[in-house]
Amino acid sequence: MAHSPAAVIVLAAGAGTRMKSATPKVLHEMCGRSLLGHAIHAARGLNPEHVSVVVRHQRDRVAAHALEVDGGLIIADQDEIKGTGRAVWCGLEALPADLEGPIVVMAGDTPLLNTETLAGLVDNLGENAVTVLTTNVPDATGYGRILRDESGAICGVVEHADASDAQREIREINTSTYAFDAAFLRENLGKLGAANAQGEMYLTDIVELASASGAGVGDLVLEDSWLVEGCNDLAQLATLRGEMNRRIVHDWMVSGVSVIDPATTYIDVDVEIEHDCKILPGTALHGHTRLASGAIVGPGELTDTTVEEGAVASHVVATGAHVPAGSTLPPYSIATR
């Protein structure tokens, strides 16, 4: 990573009505963290000076959770004016007025988006006013389309609702993830209007302003579109959870952990596993569970549990338990502190 950004602004103000849930969308959990928790974790990995989380829907609940995840966050309130452009304006207003350098803007509902990708976006900013993270998808319905000029440079983004038939054929999409020069962003956010199909202040209009003014628009095109897949309903949440779990389990297997049946094994992001452990089919490892070398676990469910070297915990449900080295828990045990 060439350098850390001055700030990251995480957009978490939306109502998420398609979730059809009393729980705010960004607070739904997958693999041991909320969607917002995954975003904050990726943002903090950049080591920015500031992280601002923009909230509105169920404001107090979302803000309290964000601060529980990271007490050093800045909470910014979006006002009644709609749109991502306004949300970023509110996030920027909560930051120091003299802030200089790159500012990353990201959504709070793309849980697979990682620090490495965000770092590449910052590194690609260079002398440009903005760098846009894009990807290509087979079906771009509903997404903003990337517009490029004759030289191949990005010259704008058109939202699906505003796109022509020809523009809707474009498969390169905007991922709502950007790196901006702070001064350019501050100067141009106030120029945004709401003359569009949604009646909202589009952040994407900043991209067109940067292109038209010659300030420069860079890009980072992702091959792995899963990294920027958003979550709009509980079906998508389940799909994303399955993909994240598949990657987690795969990474543990290639690091020396024997997973007998990856399809029935579930491992949260904060679980720690040493080499030569064996995980039997039908196992779920949650929270801050830790398996020492040579441990054998499953089937069962372990939450915030430590299984020491060579211990066996089969057909066990354990929460906050400690399984001593070399011991074997009796099958069908329910173990707690």
Side-chain angles (χ1 to χ4, degrees), residues 8 68 249 265 321:
V8 179
E68 182 180 346
V249 172
T265 300

Side-chain angles (χ1 to χ4, degrees), residues 27-322:
L27 299 194
H28 280 268
E29 294 189 358
M30 54 180 282
C31 301
R33 291 188 189 131
S34 65
L35 298 180
L36 182 54
H38 285 292
I40 292 170
H41 181 80
R44 273 298 181 204
L46 292 172
N47 194 30
E49 295 178 42
H50 308 280
V51 177
S52 173
V53 176
V54 182
V55 299
R56 179 170 174 81
H57 178 68
Q58 295 199 36
R59 185 262 181 214
D60 291 347
R61 188 174 175 186
V62 175
H65 175 76
L67 291 171
E68 182 180 346
V69 172
D70 185 336
L73 296 173
I74 297 170
I75 300 297
D77 290 286
Q78 183 168 3
D79 55 23
E80 69 281 357
I81 300 175
K82 296 180 179 180
T84 51
R86 187 63 175 186
V88 172
W89 184 90
C90 294
L92 189 61
E93 284 292 292
L95 297 171
D98 60 351
L99 199 65
E100 297 180 351
I103 294 180
V104 172
V105 173
M106 62 184 295
D109 66 345
T110 50
L112 275 81
L113 183 57
N114 53 37
T115 297
E116 182 182 2
T117 300
L118 295 175
L121 192 65
V122 174
D123 291 347
N124 279 17
L125 182 60
E127 299 301 318
N128 294 315
V130 55
T131 298
V132 184
L133 186 65
T134 81
T135 193
N136 290 277
V137 294
D139 181 3
T141 303
Y143 292 101
R145 307 307 206 278
I146 297 296
L147 306 180
R148 294 182 179 269
D149 62 22
E150 294 179 354
S151 71
I154 294 177
C155 59
V157 180
V158 60
E159 297 301 328
H160 181 88
D162 301 296
S164 66
D165 289 342
Q167 289 169 335
R168 290 183 180 183
E169 294 299 314
I170 298 171
R171 293 295 171 259
E172 186 180 14
I173 62 166
N174 177 36
T175 68
S176 301
T177 312
Y178 315 86
F180 292 98
D181 172 73
F184 182 87
L185 184 63
R186 188 180 296 109
E187 178 183 350
N188 287 278
L189 275 174
K191 300 177 183 179
L192 301 183
N196 51 64
Q198 304 298 320
E200 299 181 357
M201 291 178 63
Y202 288 161
L203 181 62
T204 49
D205 289 348
I206 293 282
V207 177
E208 185 175 351
L209 286 170
S211 175
S213 68
V217 180
D219 62 58
L220 178 60
V221 183
L222 281 179
E223 292 186 9
D224 185 358
S225 60
W226 275 109
L227 297 179
V228 287
E229 185 79 18
C231 178
N232 291 310
D233 56 38
L234 293 177
Q236 284 183 312
L237 178 65
T239 300
L240 286 171
R241 183 185 292 114
E243 178 61 20
M244 179 175 281
N245 185 73
R246 185 192 67 78
R247 295 177 185 224
I248 291 170
V249 172
H250 174 269
D251 288 347
W252 282 120
M253 288 191 293
V254 298
S255 72
V257 175
S258 178
V259 179
I260 303 305
D261 183 12
T264 62
T265 300
Y266 303 90
I267 304 176
D268 282 353
V269 291
D270 290 322
V271 170
E272 300 177 23
I273 310 175
E274 296 181 0
H275 62 86
D276 290 328
C277 289
K278 180 180 290 187
I279 301 175
L280 301 178
T283 302
L285 305 177
H286 297 308
H288 291 275
T289 291
R290 185 180 70 84
L291 309 183
S293 178
I296 300 174
V297 299
E301 184 173 358
L302 308 182
T303 302
D304 297 328
T305 291
T306 297
V307 182
E308 297 289 4
E309 186 172 352
V312 178
S314 293
H315 298 280
V316 166
V317 175
T319 300
H322 180 266

